[in-house]
Amino acid sequence: MDDMAIDTSLAERLQDLVIDSPDVASFLVELCELSAASLSESLALEVTCAITLQRRHRTSTAGWSSAASRACDEIQHNFGEGPCLHAMNTGTTVLVRDTRTDVRWPEYGSAISELGQLSVLGVPLALDEGAAAALNVFAPVPDAFDATSIDLAETFARHAEKSLRLAVRIGARQQLADDLRAAMESRTAIDLAAGIIMAQNRCSQEEALRILAKASSGRNKKLRHVAEELVKSVASYAPSTHFTP
């Protein structure tokens, strides 16, 4: 299979991940699993992968193919520096040939070598403004990555970043949709509750909202929850007494 066919096949598999994954978190885990499987097959060596994601100035391990890769990535966050963070922050691929002897991040290298990970490859993933990521590949032997495997990882990353940008955008829009839906539900409950209070107390909407707000403060509950409780109580029991805070 030629390079173009490989690229097309990989792009299609990544697009399928975006479509089939229920949320961004699931997509990232499946992306790591696909990365690990593809690179392991190419290297004839079992490697594991994790993805570091930075959004809104917060950095975290967003996906992993195994418990070991998650641990290695989170150890790096604890140190606040390392090859994968460097790759993400500089936009350049970083290779650690031997974690036991690399002088750039000796403490981190020592920590993950004790977990059996002796080579690390960090490949940046270009995302939208305000976000950054890196694909982190861990191998159990030194000098696991040669020029060919690094090129393959970078090719994989180029395809993966397009799918990741799409997944992050979809996730952001879904969150916005969820927030809007919650706001609409909250507004509906408050309007219904205000209508009930207006009918029971023969007062204005402004007065009804003041009564609701006073009840919310007095009961130390969110206004929406107080409103929902009132609507539910009327719907269930149709009380004849007036609502009071």
Side-chain angles (χ1 to χ4, degrees):
M1 185 179 292
D2 60 28
D3 290 345
M4 183 174 294
I6 292 172
D7 285 357
T8 301
S9 175
L10 179 57
E12 290 174 348
R13 293 175 71 184
L14 289 167
Q15 287 171 5
D16 287 342
L17 281 187
V18 176
I19 294 169
D20 296 337
S21 299
D23 51 44
V24 176
S26 299
F27 167 78
L28 289 169
V29 169
E30 293 179 17
L31 175 58
C32 288
E33 292 173 349
L34 176 59
S35 303
S38 298
L39 294 172
S40 294
E41 181 179 359
S42 174
L43 290 167
L45 172 72
E46 186 173 354
V47 300
T48 60
C49 295
I51 288 180
T52 295
L53 180 64
Q54 184 181 73
R55 295 181 68 194
R56 302 184 184 93
H57 305 294
R58 295 184 61 183
T59 302
S60 64
T61 302
W64 52 88
S65 65
S66 69
S69 58
R70 180 184 184 182
C72 288
D73 205 48
E74 290 184 344
I75 287 171
Q76 185 171 196
H77 297 321
N78 291 336
F79 281 112
E81 61 178 7
C84 305
L85 291 176
H86 188 77
M88 182 182 70
N89 292 328
T90 63
T92 58
T93 297
V94 177
L95 171 65
V96 175
R97 297 185 178 277
D98 192 332
T99 56
R100 298 166 298 183
T101 59
D102 190 275
V103 298
R104 291 169 293 179
W105 305 283
E107 291 182 313
Y108 172 67
S110 176
I112 68 168
S113 68
E114 292 179 2
L115 298 179
Q117 304 303 319
L118 302 183
S119 298
V120 182
L121 184 64
V123 185
L125 298 169
L127 300 182
D128 294 328
E129 186 176 353
L135 173 65
N136 315 316
V137 190
F138 304 97
V141 298
D143 281 316
F145 308 105
D146 58 14
T148 300
S149 58
I150 292 173
D151 182 64
L152 176 64
E154 289 177 336
T155 299
F156 191 96
R158 283 196 297 273
H159 287 289
E161 65 190 15
K162 295 177 183 178
S163 298
L164 181 53
R165 280 200 298 269
L166 178 58
V168 169
R169 288 174 186 172
I170 291 172
R173 289 176 182 174
Q174 182 60 53
Q175 183 61 56
L176 176 60
D178 291 344
D179 291 345
L180 288 173
R181 183 165 53 251
M184 291 175 66
E185 290 173 353
S186 176
R187 185 70 258 173
T188 298
I190 292 170
D191 286 343
L192 286 171
I196 292 169
I197 295 172
M198 289 168 66
Q200 290 181 338
N201 293 273
R202 298 182 183 279
C203 63
S204 67
Q205 183 181 37
E206 184 178 356
E207 180 61 27
L209 289 173
R210 277 201 293 267
I211 292 172
L212 267 179
K214 186 177 180 181
S216 171
S217 176
R219 300 176 188 180
N220 196 26
K221 290 184 177 181
K222 291 183 177 180
L223 184 62
R224 175 187 173 180
H225 294 163
V226 172
E228 288 173 343
E229 288 175 358
L230 173 59
V231 172
K232 185 180 294 184
S233 70
V234 172
S236 300
Y237 307 110
S240 58
T241 56
H242 288 184
F243 177 79
T244 56

